[in-house]
């Protein structure tokens, strides 16, 4: 564990020099698995749960027609998974329980739809939203939380559709995800939960927004109106703008010592203009938000998701049929010139030397915690 | 290698940092970026987005084929932008992002110019030639730019050119595969060669060393060969064993190179995923309809078992790699 230990020691020393750590340094034996191993586990859990579900549906053919039996069996499977996962079982059992729980959730969902007798109403989806939200908070397993948050986001999206609130879906999901990421260290106990839930929400949010470009049927169904010309579309984009402003203002508040009032105003103005200019290219605001919040927390996964979604949304702009290529060209020209103008202003009036002197002041404050503010947590 | 974020999170979770000092700890270790880091990040973001927006604006304008603008005006627009980007590169500090982005935009302008030339004079050339000669013509700039995203775009052009070529003319060798199979195999070889070249040269040329570049190409190659193998298993008309041979060699090469020569857990995880997909597909393909319930249960246990084995092994390798 030499490389890992050396890295840990370097960071430990940095913290120790500023009296930010207590006790003796003890290297961690293991760190969290990388994101791609977690992804591998999540995918296999999903597939395995489908086969387990298939097994139950075939073996208990007569019983699954009874909603009460489905509810009991499904709840039993989730409870069993909860108990087993709480005791940190072996690798095999852990994955088996993950698949069991997912299959149990599917049985419960099946029972709810049987009770309501229709999938085309808000009630069953609202019930699923409540169950999945609770599971995302309760289940003692990271990947389970990501999956539950993902399913809860789907349920929320469909609930909003039946309540004629589709215009609020993207902004609500983005706002919730940003809130969780920005406040992940508010409670040490909940950090991992907040992180997992935010990933689950974002994993639904990116393809949901892409449906405005590649999945017209889904987007049309969700909005039940002609999308691009409707106020729904613009209200959605406007709410995303406000969510973006929440992010920018929060980040500036956390570093209020760095910027004078006029600079803050300029940053907010630039953000508003950028969001308004990119309004026609659906999803760009989400890509920006993910990239910025990922950078603010040194979260490489979020940055990667931000860059990928941004590239996807920008390139698919070409295929948007509601605008002519000439109109798109003019919008891009204005956007490009505006962005380069902001960059010019940034280099001219916010030069690093000036910033450096400001940051020295902050460093001084950090060395004297009594003077510093801890609002950023 | 674990990031600072992971390590500091671990310190906080183990209670070494007091809750009131978490923010200071994150600032001190630069998990929360400093103002200088923010400045660099925003500067780079704005430069990339601004330059690409302008370049795509020209691309869309030419694609619109506006009659009110004559061909002379359009040629003048593209060529003057081409000259302007090269001039910007010449003025900029070499190896700076500004220089690299200038060359990226000029490479894009070359493609726009070629497409517009073909559209204006109706040369009748096959579509693959546009992408192939575009890649050939920009090669010197790609080499000069020393910019990983430009190399990836260049490889993307070659992928498009090859797929269009095979779509029109097929492969000289049939390999006993379907037309689609031939196409996927050819693309798999192209990307495998690119990956091999990249890994051999990335130690010498540091700008090719970001792992995302090799991982993207490997993911592409891995996806293609896995897809062909799965397709061969499912399609009963496909009797060729070549895809299995290529897949076996690819997985073995991944293991040897990234386990022993150049440690990369992502590549090994990708190899595990590919193997699990192939084994499960083979299992499903041999489904016995008389015992379908048992088959469902067996398949789910097999998926979980294989994933558990893969995870245990990957965690063990990760531990070794960090030591």
């Amino acid at each position: 564990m030499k490389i890992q230990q050396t890295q840990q020691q370097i960071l430990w020393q940095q913290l120790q020099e500023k009296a930010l750590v207590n006790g003796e340094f003890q290297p961690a034996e293991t760190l969290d698995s990388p994101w791609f191993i977690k992804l591998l586990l999540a995918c296999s859990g999903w597939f395995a749960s489908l086969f387990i579900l298939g097994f139950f549906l075939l073996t208990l053919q007569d019983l699954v027609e009874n909603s009460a039996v489905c509810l009991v069996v499904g709840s039993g499977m989730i409870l069993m998974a909860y108990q087993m996962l709480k005791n940190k079982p072996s690798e095999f059992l852990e994955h088996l329980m993950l698949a069991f729980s997912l299959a149990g959730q599917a049985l419960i969902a099946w029972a709810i739809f049987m009770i309501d007798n229709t999938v085309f109403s808000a009630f069953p989806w609202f019930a699923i939203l409540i169950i999945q939200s609770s599971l995302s908070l309760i289940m003692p397993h990271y990947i389970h939380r990501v999956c539950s948050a993902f399913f809860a986001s789907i349920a929320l999206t469909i609930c909003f559709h039946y309540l004629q609130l589709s215009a609020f879906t993207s902004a609500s999901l983005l706002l919730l995800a940003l809130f969780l990421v920005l406040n992940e260290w508010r409670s040490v106990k909940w950090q991992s939960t907040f992180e997992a839930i935010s990933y689950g929400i974002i994993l639904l949010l990116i393809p949901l927004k892409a449906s405005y470009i590649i999945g017209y049927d889904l987007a049309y169904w969700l909005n039940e109106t002609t999308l691009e010309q409707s106020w729904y579309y613009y209200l959605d984009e406007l709410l995303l703008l406000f969510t973006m402003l929440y992010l920018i203002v929060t980040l500036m508040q956390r570093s209020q010592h760095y910027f004078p009032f006029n600079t803050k105003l300029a940053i907010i103005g630039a953000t508003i203009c950028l969001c308004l200019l990119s309004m026609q290219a659906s999803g760009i605001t989400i890509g920006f938000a993910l990239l910025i919040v990922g950078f603010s927390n040194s979260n490489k996964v979020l940055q990667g998701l931000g860059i990928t979604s941004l590239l996807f949304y920008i390139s698919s702009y070409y295929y948007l049929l509601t605008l002519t290529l000439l109109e798109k060209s003019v919008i891009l020209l204005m956007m490009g010139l505006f962005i380069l103008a902001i960059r010019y202003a940034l280099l001219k009036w916010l030069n690093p030397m000036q910033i450096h002197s400001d940051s020295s002041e902050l460093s001084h404050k950090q060395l004297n915690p009594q003077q510093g503010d801890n609002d950023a947590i | 290698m674990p990031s600072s974020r992971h390590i500091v999170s671990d310190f906080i979770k183990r209670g070494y940092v007091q809750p009131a000092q978490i923010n200071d700890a994150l600032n001190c270790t630069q998990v929360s970026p400093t103002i200088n880091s923010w400045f660099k990040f925003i500067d780079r973001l704005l430069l990339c987005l601004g330059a690409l927006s302008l370049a795509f604006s020209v691309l869309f304008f030419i694609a619109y084929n506006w009659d009110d603008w004559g061909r002379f005006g359009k040629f003048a627009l593209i060529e003057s932008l081409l000259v302007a980007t090269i001039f910007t590169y010449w003025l900029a500090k070499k190896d700076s992002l500004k220089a690299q982005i200038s060359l990226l935009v000029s490479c894009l302008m070359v493609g726009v110019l070629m497409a517009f030339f073909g559209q204006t004079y109706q040369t009748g050339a096959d579509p693959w030639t546009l992408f192939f000669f575009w890649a050939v013509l920009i090669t010197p700039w790609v080499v000069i730019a020393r910019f990983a995203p430009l190399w990836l775009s260049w490889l993307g052009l070659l992928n498009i050119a090859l797929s269009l070529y095979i779509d029109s003319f097929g492969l000289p060798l049939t390999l006993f595969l379907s037309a689609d199979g031939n196409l996927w195999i050819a693309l798999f070889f192209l990307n495998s060669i690119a990956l091999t070249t990249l890994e051999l040269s990335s130690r010498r040329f540091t700008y090719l060393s970001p792992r995302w570049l090799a991982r993207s190409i490997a993911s592409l190659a891995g996806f293609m060969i896995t897809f062909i193998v799965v397709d061969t298993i499912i399609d009963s008309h496909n009797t060729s064993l070549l895809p299995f041979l290529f897949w076996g060699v690819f997985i073995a090469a991944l293991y040897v190179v990234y386990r022993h020569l150049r440690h990369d857990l992502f590549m090994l995880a990708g190899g595990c995923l590919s193997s699990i997909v192939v084994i499960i597909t083979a299992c499903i393909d041999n489904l016995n309809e008389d015992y379908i319930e048992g088959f469902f249960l067996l398949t789910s246990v097999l998926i979980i078992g294989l994933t558990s084995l893969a995870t245990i092994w990957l965690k063990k390798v990760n531990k070794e790699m960090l030591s």
Side-chain angles (χ1 to χ4, degrees):
Chain A
M1 310 292 286
K2 270 181 194 160
I3 299 175
Q4 189 178 313
Q5 276 188 29
T6 316
Q7 263 188 302
Q8 287 181 31
Q9 267 169 340
I10 292 168
L11 288 169
W12 181 270
Q13 275 169 7
Q14 282 179 12
L15 292 167
Q16 206 168 33
E17 278 167 19
K18 297 196 174 172
L20 294 171
V21 279
N22 310 309
E24 281 290 303
F25 169 69
Q26 280 181 335
E29 276 303 307
T30 50
L31 285 172
D32 267 358
S33 302
W35 64 268
F36 43 84
I37 296 184
K38 286 178 180 162
L39 188 68
L40 178 72
L41 294 177
C43 291
S44 76
W46 275 20
F47 278 110
S49 70
L50 289 178
F51 285 100
I52 290 177
L53 194 64
F55 168 73
F56 273 103
L57 292 178
L58 288 170
T59 47
L60 306 170
Q61 251 171 356
D62 298 330
L63 290 175
V64 289
E65 283 171 17
N66 185 329
S67 57
V69 173
C70 284
L71 270 178
V72 172
V73 174
S75 307
M77 287 164 82
I78 295 173
L79 268 175
M80 188 172 75
Y82 173 78
Q83 280 300 331
M84 297 288 273
L85 290 172
K86 209 167 71 171
N87 299 324
K88 299 207 181 304
S90 67
E91 207 77 46
F92 179 81
L93 266 181
E94 188 185 329
H95 300 151
L96 187 67
M97 286 306 113
L98 177 64
F100 244 69
S101 175
L102 292 174
Q105 288 164 46
L107 277 178
I108 290 179
W110 175 250
I112 292 170
F113 286 124
M114 274 197 288
I115 293 166
D116 191 64
N117 211 19
T118 172
V119 290
F120 302 110
S121 72
F123 166 73
W125 293 103
F126 185 69
I128 292 171
L129 171 66
I130 300 288
I131 293 168
Q132 293 294 344
S133 306
S134 312
L135 288 175
S136 69
L137 291 168
I138 296 165
M139 289 305 270
H141 195 265
Y142 189 89
I143 294 163
H144 197 300
R145 283 181 180 141
V146 176
C147 295
S148 294
F150 179 77
F151 295 134
S153 305
I154 293 176
L156 179 83
T157 305
I158 299 174
C159 262
F160 272 19
H161 158 69
Y162 285 118
L163 298 171
Q164 303 286 316
L165 294 170
S166 287
F168 294 85
T169 312
S170 313
S172 310
L173 290 173
L174 182 64
L175 184 66
L176 186 56
L178 291 181
F179 177 81
L180 291 171
V181 177
L182 289 170
N183 293 286
E184 66 175 345
W185 286 114
R186 199 170 277 277
S187 159
V188 178
K189 191 182 156 196
W190 288 93
Q191 190 273 336
S192 149
T193 310
F194 278 21
E195 189 184 86
I197 295 175
S198 64
Y199 285 158
I201 296 169
I202 289 164
L203 285 177
L204 188 269
L205 182 61
I206 293 173
L208 177 73
K209 203 61 189 169
S211 72
Y212 285 86
I213 305 159
I214 54 167
Y216 281 110
D217 290 344
L218 174 66
Y220 187 81
W221 180 75
L222 285 173
N223 290 279
E224 282 188 336
T225 178
T226 314
L227 277 172
E228 291 76 19
Q229 290 163 359
S230 75
W231 59 272
Y232 261 69
Y233 178 83
Y234 291 106
L235 180 61
D236 182 24
E237 288 293 326
L238 204 65
L239 290 170
L240 283 173
L241 187 156
F242 287 126
T243 314
M244 186 73 176
L245 283 180
Y246 158 73
L247 170 66
I248 299 296
V249 171
T250 310
L251 289 175
M252 281 197 298
Q253 273 176 349
R254 289 180 181 188
S255 55
Q256 53 191 315
H257 297 280
Y258 302 132
F259 305 110
F261 178 73
N262 285 344
T263 313
K264 281 183 182 174
L265 216 58
I267 291 171
I268 290 174
T271 309
I272 293 173
C273 291
L274 205 58
C275 288
L276 289 176
L277 277 172
S278 65
M279 203 171 242
Q280 288 293 346
S282 181
I284 286 188
T285 313
I286 291 177
F288 264 131
L290 294 181
L291 192 56
I292 291 171
V293 80
F295 184 77
S296 78
N297 282 28
S298 292
N299 187 325
K300 291 267 162 50
V301 177
L302 281 185
Q303 286 181 62
L305 284 172
I307 292 171
T308 313
S309 57
L310 211 49
L311 285 174
F312 172 76
Y313 294 133
I314 292 172
S315 54
S316 53
Y317 182 50
Y318 184 84
Y319 298 100
L320 193 74
L321 296 172
T322 48
L323 293 174
T324 66
L325 282 167
L326 187 64
E327 287 165 335
K328 288 179 202 171
S329 169
V330 172
I331 291 172
L332 279 173
L333 179 71
M334 283 162 59
M335 223 171 109
L337 290 175
F338 179 72
I339 289 172
L340 291 178
I342 299 177
R343 182 175 177 265
Y344 177 76
L346 185 79
L347 290 171
K348 197 166 168 64
W349 290 296
L350 285 169
N351 65 69
M353 288 308 288
Q354 181 192 335
I355 289 160
H356 183 73
S357 61
D358 286 349
S359 65
S360 306
E361 277 176 36
L362 188 96
S363 304
H364 177 70
K365 267 185 171 288
Q366 282 166 354
L367 284 166
N368 300 287
Q370 286 175 332
Q371 289 176 24
D373 59 344
N374 289 317
D375 294 343
I377 303 169
Chain B
M1 196 179 284
S3 62
S4 301
R5 176 186 155 83
H6 274 102
I7 295 172
V8 176
S9 298
D10 182 60
F11 287 159
I12 296 170
K13 283 175 190 168
R14 285 200 283 160
Y16 290 130
V17 181
Q18 291 299 313
Q21 290 180 316
I22 291 175
N23 190 40
D24 293 334
L26 295 173
N27 283 327
C28 163
T29 50
Q30 296 195 9
V31 172
S32 295
T34 61
I35 191 69
N36 280 331
S37 310
W38 269 114
F39 181 85
K40 274 185 198 162
F41 169 74
I42 293 170
D43 176 35
R44 291 167 82 95
L45 184 67
L46 293 177
L47 178 63
C48 292
L49 283 174
L52 287 177
S53 295
L54 288 183
F56 279 103
S57 162
V58 175
L59 175 76
F60 285 20
F61 178 74
I62 298 298
Y64 181 68
N65 204 13
W66 196 16
D67 287 338
D68 291 3
W69 260 50
R71 68 175 73 158
F72 176 77
K74 286 175 188 165
F75 270 120
L77 174 71
I78 303 167
E79 284 165 8
S80 45
L81 268 170
L82 190 58
V83 173
T85 49
I86 294 168
F87 188 65
T88 313
Y89 169 77
W90 184 56
L91 288 180
K93 195 179 153 197
K94 302 295 167 282
D95 285 346
S96 66
L97 185 69
K98 195 176 170 185
Q100 291 170 327
I101 291 287
S102 302
L103 281 184
L104 177 72
V105 174
S106 61
C107 289
L108 195 65
M109 285 303 121
V110 171
V112 176
L113 183 62
M114 287 174 70
F116 185 60
F117 186 86
Q119 184 192 38
T120 310
Y121 297 108
Q122 296 294 320
T123 56
D126 288 315
W128 71 272
T129 53
L130 167 68
F131 294 97
F132 179 71
F133 287 111
W134 182 1
V136 171
L137 282 175
I138 64 170
T139 305
W141 292 342
V142 175
V143 173
I144 293 167
R146 297 164 168 248
F147 192 36
L150 194 51
W151 273 104
L152 194 62
S153 311
W154 181 80
L155 182 65
L157 285 179
L158 286 183
N159 268 279
I160 297 172
L162 185 63
S163 56
L164 287 173
Y165 175 84
I166 293 173
D167 205 35
S168 305
F169 303 105
L171 264 187
L173 296 168
T174 63
L175 299 173
F176 306 105
L177 293 169
S178 61
D180 281 349
N182 279 334
L183 172 64
W184 287 87
I185 281 281
L187 292 176
F188 161 70
F189 274 111
L190 173 69
N191 291 300
S192 299
I193 293 166
L195 180 64
T196 314
T197 316
L198 176 76
E199 291 295 13
L200 289 173
S201 54
S202 62
R203 283 193 202 278
R204 191 170 161 204
F205 305 107
T206 47
Y207 59 92
L208 291 175
S209 60
R211 289 315 294 162
W212 67 263
L213 183 62
R215 287 173 177 184
S216 307
I217 300 171
S219 302
L220 211 60
F223 172 75
M224 281 159 185
I225 193 64
T226 309
F227 182 83
I228 300 164
V229 171
V230 167
D231 188 49
T232 311
I233 293 170
I234 295 169
D235 186 1
S236 54
H237 301 294
N238 236 338
T239 51
S240 175
L241 290 175
L242 277 175
F244 294 97
L245 177 72
F246 296 145
W247 178 75
V249 172
F250 181 72
I251 296 293
L254 274 186
Y255 174 77
V256 172
V257 174
Y258 297 109
R259 172 83 175 86
H260 298 292
L261 302 175
R262 177 155 220 169
H263 297 166
D264 193 330
L265 199 66
F266 178 90
M267 304 291 198
L268 297 176
C272 289
L273 178 65
S274 172
S275 309
I276 293 170
V277 168
V278 169
I279 294 169
I280 299 297
T281 310
C283 178
I284 294 172
D285 193 55
N286 290 307
L287 161 71
N288 186 335
E289 288 180 10
D290 295 336
Y291 304 104
I292 196 156
E293 298 91 342
F295 165 81
F296 269 74
L297 191 64
L298 188 74
T299 309
S300 61
V301 172
L302 190 65
I303 294 173
I304 294 164
L306 288 171
T307 315
S308 302
L309 279 177
T311 313
I312 291 168
W313 181 68
L314 287 169
K315 282 182 177 173
K316 187 176 155 251
V317 173
N318 191 27
K319 215 171 173 179
E320 281 174 29
M321 282 178 179
L322 290 171
S323 61

